[in-house]
Amino acid sequence: MKWMNYRWLYLLISGILIISGIFGIIRWGFKFGVDFTGGVVAEYKMPSGEARVLRFKNLSTDEAEKIRAEYKAQNATEVRFDYVGPAIGPELIKKTLTALIVSAVLILLWVAYQFKSIKYGISATIATIHDSFILLGSFAIFGHFFGAEVDFLFVTAMLTILSFSVHDTIVVFDRIRENLRRTTGLPFPQVVNDSILQTLVRSLNTSLTTILVLFTLLIFGGESIRWFVVALLVGIISGTYSSIFNAAPLLVLWEELSAKRRSKK
Amino acid sequence: MKRIWLISFIILITAVSTIIALPQGINLKIGDFSFNKKFDLKLGLDLAGGSQLIFDADMTKVPEDKREVAIQGVRDVIERRVNLFGVSEPTVQTSTFEGKNRVIVELPGIKDTQEATKLIGKTAQLVFAEIVEIPGPEGATPSSTLVPTNLTGADLESSEVVYDSQTGKPSISIQFTKEGGEKFAEITGRNILKALPIVLDGEIISAPTVQEKITGGSAQISGSFTLDEAKQLSIQLNAGALPVSINLVSEKTVGASLGADSISDSITAGVIGISMVALFMFLAYGRLGLVADVGLFVFAVISLALYKLIPITLTLPGIAGFMLSVGMAVDSNILIFERFKEEKLKRSVSDALEVSFGRAWDSIRDANIATLVTAFILANPLDWKFLNVSGPVRGFALTLALGIAISLFTGLFVSRNLLRVLIRDRKDKQL
């Protein structure tokens, strides 16, 4: 099979997915959680056994405490009470962006250093950016249709996916490097093609075990981490896809373009 | 011979970890010698129940150069107030971001959060008090009582640790405002050779004896302080002196019942998840898969034992981090087994095994370092100000990073040695 012959198709599929994600983001935006918007999310169990969930946006400390006092007066049990002041959200966004950028740059440098070529670093980073966009887009869509919120845990999931995606990509790249060393004369797309086939079962099996673990977490792990697990699932599936169908084809394209430039000279 | 030692080592580590991981702990009794130690998992707020409070320390009224001192004072005051609640292991951290000063307080198992936020949010009250004797009834010994004076924290400018010019010992110098200096002169004037207790939040932090009337707006407290004691007192005086108001900006409270539900959910998910992975490995790789499963078991008990020993505060995202690292632990095995399938077509089974481990190691190392980089950023162990500190994300990153380290041990060392034994015994048979 000549997988690399269809490289434009893979990039097209990714493009379509990312564009529909961006459409979702523009059309509906994100449903930001209380961590970003500020406000109160509280859950009370009333003496009658009835559970009540409260959500307020943009509340001052005094207003938040008033609500709490009200429920306390009714002898309700506090199951959880989250109050976030208006100043916290913007700070969190800044710190998150910093963390994302710092991680991405460090990973790019590490891959570039390890494979002694910037093209490996950049291809791997583009694949992880691809996964971030897929994750962001899917949460705009999940948010609109199922009420999934973008909160603190989502941010954690996003950073984890960054490393997971690179994990997969590195395994593929590693094989390419090894095959390049051992075989001479084979065209580069052929080497990439072979490397992908050789690591394919591993990539699928590893993703499958991780997906198994995440599915049990999704079913049995409780309400509060449900969307966190969904975010990880989306990221892992996208990460497996992007390592095989983005990072490797990008390497081939890069090689072709620089070969063309060389022949022009 | 060497192999026997390695295998014994693996068995020993597994046995010790299992004992630590089990809930009843160690109970040893050999003759007169007995040893009892129970290891407990440290649970985070989201599992044990409790509150995380973030306060903003408003420094606008504090001069720029005193802010560092002021935040220390605030922290000290909050720490002492927090200790009044009697919760086990409260933590108080400070963090600065873009000129904003934050104090993060974690109170595990706190019952009345509302009361706690009110008490912590109060501005520190510092006052100098006089000891006044109350003449008792005829014949009885007179009792004495503390009477607050009109000299308060607002009259203090600042305080710092200095070395006494005569004795060279650490002492504390106090600078009063102009008005405060006048009040202080008057109070010292009428309390010569008497103690003048300094009260912070209703607690006496020092009771120096007045030697003479002190004019000129500055004073020095000398005595046999250690440097740490002097620093502590100076911090407390500053806490009372600097006008820092503390406002609640964020609160996360988890009730005990929700925490308990989360724990039981997580245990169910953990057991089922690991069993599914074990089954998958057996179905995909047969006997090799069983070796990986042994490695997975060792991985799980070592992880649990280390969580208890270090200790790692386990949070809900932390459990997710552990589950993810299960995936990574299995990944090293999958990488090796897939490689082994290829290599054994080219060479003898035992050679193929060694080659597979060698080749797979490159991928495992490179890939895991990339994950460690992200875990490092998330955990932020150096408390970099531009990143987050504390909170559940750190718990997640810690378990993930620890999981990677343990998975390297179980995936490479444990599986490898078990496989060597297995393969030597079945040298001629097809694996």
Side-chain angles (χ1 to χ4, degrees):
Chain A
M1 239 162 96
K2 299 260 183 244
W3 287 44
M4 282 304 119
N5 288 357
Y6 305 103
R7 53 188 171 270
W8 288 108
L9 178 68
Y10 311 138
L11 297 180
L12 186 71
I13 292 174
S14 293
I16 290 171
L17 285 174
I18 289 174
I19 287 168
S20 29
I22 290 175
F23 171 79
I25 297 171
I26 295 170
R27 180 80 172 72
W28 300 304
F30 294 111
K31 199 162 175 284
F32 282 110
V34 71
D35 294 330
F36 288 104
T37 59
V40 168
V41 175
E43 199 179 329
Y44 284 97
K45 208 172 156 198
M46 307 307 286
S48 60
E50 176 203 357
R52 274 196 209 165
V53 180
L54 316 168
R55 277 165 203 278
F56 297 98
K57 273 180 185 163
N58 297 321
L59 234 58
S60 73
T61 317
D62 291 343
E63 288 168 314
E65 290 302 334
K66 211 179 273 171
I67 294 170
R68 172 176 248 170
E70 231 168 75
Y71 275 86
K72 208 175 161 189
Q74 295 177 46
N75 281 324
T77 318
E78 197 167 79
V79 179
R80 71 192 174 110
F81 189 93
D82 290 357
Y83 162 72
V84 181
I88 297 290
E91 251 172 62
L92 190 62
I93 291 176
K94 270 185 201 161
K95 285 184 177 175
T96 304
L97 285 176
T98 319
L100 276 172
I101 292 167
V102 172
S103 314
V105 169
L106 283 178
I107 286 173
L108 189 152
L109 291 177
W110 165 247
V111 176
Y113 166 77
Q114 201 55 39
F115 292 91
K116 312 232 166 2
S117 158
I118 192 79
K119 70 182 172 199
Y120 285 87
I122 291 180
S123 302
T125 310
I126 291 177
T128 60
I129 292 173
H130 163 270
D131 300 332
S132 306
F133 270 102
I134 296 273
L135 185 55
L136 281 171
S138 65
F139 263 66
I141 294 165
F142 290 156
H144 180 71
F145 290 104
F146 308 107
E149 286 186 347
V150 170
D151 57 8
F152 206 34
L153 283 177
F154 176 82
V155 168
T156 313
M158 194 138 154
L159 281 159
T160 313
I161 287 317
L162 212 78
S163 67
F164 223 90
S165 165
V166 172
H167 193 113
D168 253 14
T169 308
I170 286 179
V171 171
V172 177
F173 280 6
D174 206 77
R175 200 57 188 251
I176 295 175
R177 176 175 61 181
E178 191 192 322
N179 286 341
L180 278 177
R181 239 186 257 149
R182 282 196 301 171
T183 54
T184 41
L186 275 181
F188 189 65
Q190 184 63 45
V191 174
V192 173
N193 197 59
D194 293 348
S195 307
I196 288 180
L197 281 178
Q198 284 160 352
T199 51
L200 188 66
V201 179
R202 172 267 156 195
S203 293
L204 291 180
N205 279 358
T206 296
S207 300
L208 249 159
T209 53
T210 315
I211 288 169
L212 272 179
V213 171
L214 288 174
F215 256 108
T216 49
L217 267 181
L218 188 65
I219 297 165
F220 302 103
E223 188 70 41
S224 44
I225 53 169
R226 186 145 299 162
W227 284 110
F228 174 60
V229 176
V230 171
L232 288 173
L233 268 172
V234 171
I236 297 236
I237 294 167
S238 164
T240 311
Y241 177 85
S242 73
S243 309
I244 302 171
F245 297 106
N246 285 151
L250 280 172
L251 268 186
V252 175
L253 277 178
W254 189 309
E255 191 69 21
E256 276 176 356
L257 286 177
S258 51
K260 262 185 203 158
R261 205 177 302 150
R262 269 200 299 270
S263 62
K264 264 184 195 165
K265 267 182 191 170
Chain B
M1 196 56 208
K2 202 182 153 215
R3 189 149 302 150
I4 291 176
W5 286 111
L6 289 174
I7 296 290
S8 318
F9 176 67
I10 292 169
I11 292 173
L12 183 74
I13 282 213
T14 311
V16 170
S17 304
T18 312
I19 292 169
I20 295 172
L22 285 175
Q24 61 262 38
I26 301 175
N27 287 301
L28 260 184
K29 205 166 187 317
I30 308 163
D32 291 337
F33 173 80
S34 73
F35 180 78
N36 275 298
K37 184 138 178 74
K38 197 164 170 273
F39 297 94
D40 284 318
L41 265 179
K42 207 169 148 199
L43 298 177
L45 296 178
D46 51 355
L47 295 176
S51 296
Q52 187 212 47
L53 309 168
I54 302 178
F55 292 93
D56 179 67
D58 183 359
M59 297 272 186
T60 44
K61 289 183 209 145
V62 181
E64 200 89 33
D65 59 318
K66 298 244 171 67
R67 288 189 180 169
E68 191 74 23
V69 181
I71 192 79
Q72 267 185 310
V74 167
R75 190 197 145 121
D76 181 83
V77 166
I78 291 182
E79 242 165 23
R80 277 181 313 115
R81 286 177 187 167
V82 158
N83 286 333
L84 296 177
F85 299 123
V87 298
S88 65
E89 302 183 47
T91 59
V92 180
Q93 281 178 293
T94 53
S95 111
T96 316
F97 181 68
E98 293 186 342
K100 296 236 173 60
N101 294 280
R102 297 280 152 76
V103 185
I104 304 158
V105 181
E106 296 195 337
L107 304 167
I110 181 98
K111 291 273 157 22
D112 195 338
T113 315
Q114 201 164 14
E115 194 59 39
T117 53
K118 255 189 223 154
L119 187 54
I120 294 173
K122 273 199 312 193
T123 306
Q125 297 294 321
L126 182 89
V127 71
F128 287 72
E130 287 174 289
I131 297 176
V132 176
E133 279 184 13
I134 309 166
E138 292 282 322
T141 37
S143 58
S144 58
T145 183
L146 277 181
V147 177
T149 65
N150 61 351
L151 183 65
T152 64
D155 298 313
L156 257 67
E157 209 152 74
S158 66
S159 137
E160 60 182 339
V161 176
V162 292
Y163 288 93
D164 191 293
S165 54
Q166 277 149 27
T167 60
K169 281 184 180 163
S171 30
I172 299 98
S173 91
I174 306 171
Q175 196 67 42
F176 292 98
T177 60
K178 193 167 169 291
E179 203 185 328
E182 283 159 17
K183 287 185 199 168
F184 188 64
E186 191 202 316
I187 293 166
T188 48
R190 62 171 187 252
N191 282 296
I192 292 168
L193 294 179
K194 283 206 275 186
L196 187 66
I198 306 168
V199 182
L200 180 64
D201 278 352
E203 193 187 321
I204 299 177
I205 54 170
S206 178
T209 306
V210 180
Q211 302 296 338
E212 55 187 0
K213 180 175 174 175
I214 302 169
T215 54
S218 67
Q220 190 172 327
I221 307 176
S222 330
S224 47
F225 295 113
T226 64
L227 184 57
D228 281 343
E229 283 166 353
K231 271 187 192 157
Q232 172 77 5
L233 187 53
S234 163
I235 286 173
Q236 290 170 338
L237 286 169
N238 277 321
L242 299 168
V244 182
S245 59
I246 315 167
N247 306 304
L248 184 70
V249 289
S250 162
E251 178 199 327
K252 301 225 155 153
T253 296
V254 172
S257 62
L258 182 62
D261 287 350
S262 302
I263 294 176
S264 64
D265 287 348
S266 307
I267 291 175
T268 316
V271 170
I272 296 178
I274 292 179
S275 316
M276 299 263 280
V277 172
L279 185 68
F280 175 86
M281 288 302 281
F282 174 65
L283 292 179
Y285 297 104
R287 282 200 202 90
L288 288 176
L290 282 183
V291 172
D293 289 346
V294 173
L296 195 59
F297 172 76
V298 177
F299 171 82
V301 291
I302 293 182
S303 300
L304 253 177
L306 282 182
Y307 291 165
K308 289 182 170 186
L309 287 178
I310 292 179
I312 295 234
T313 306
L314 210 56
T315 59
L316 216 41
I319 291 172
F322 167 73
M323 299 288 273
L324 263 182
S325 61
V326 167
M328 306 238 177
V330 178
D331 180 47
S332 357
N333 283 312
I334 293 178
L335 266 168
I336 292 160
F337 296 164
E338 286 300 326
R339 195 63 196 232
F340 181 65
K341 274 193 201 161
E342 284 176 48
E343 296 295 335
K344 78 175 179 196
L345 301 176
K346 300 184 205 155
R347 50 194 109 223
S348 78
V349 172
S350 55
D351 282 352
L353 182 73
E354 296 304 319
V355 170
S356 309
F357 269 98
R359 296 258 159 84
W361 164 243
D362 282 349
S363 307
I364 295 170
R365 180 199 57 206
D366 294 350
N368 279 320
I369 286 177
T371 310
L372 281 176
V373 167
T374 318
F376 183 82
I377 300 287
L378 284 172
N380 190 14
L382 303 177
D383 286 333
W384 282 328
K385 282 173 183 158
F386 53 90
L387 297 173
N388 267 304
V389 293
S390 98
V393 175
R394 180 171 271 181
F396 172 79
L398 279 178
T399 51
L400 187 61
L402 197 65
I404 291 167
I406 303 168
S407 79
L408 287 181
F409 173 74
T410 56
L412 293 171
F413 185 76
V414 174
S415 305
R416 185 176 199 161
N417 283 297
L418 291 179
L419 280 175
R420 275 177 180 158
V421 172
L422 191 75
I423 282 180
R424 194 188 49 178
D425 292 349
R426 316 177 159 268
K427 214 163 206 167
D428 315 312
K429 294 181 196 161
Q430 193 68 12
L431 262 160

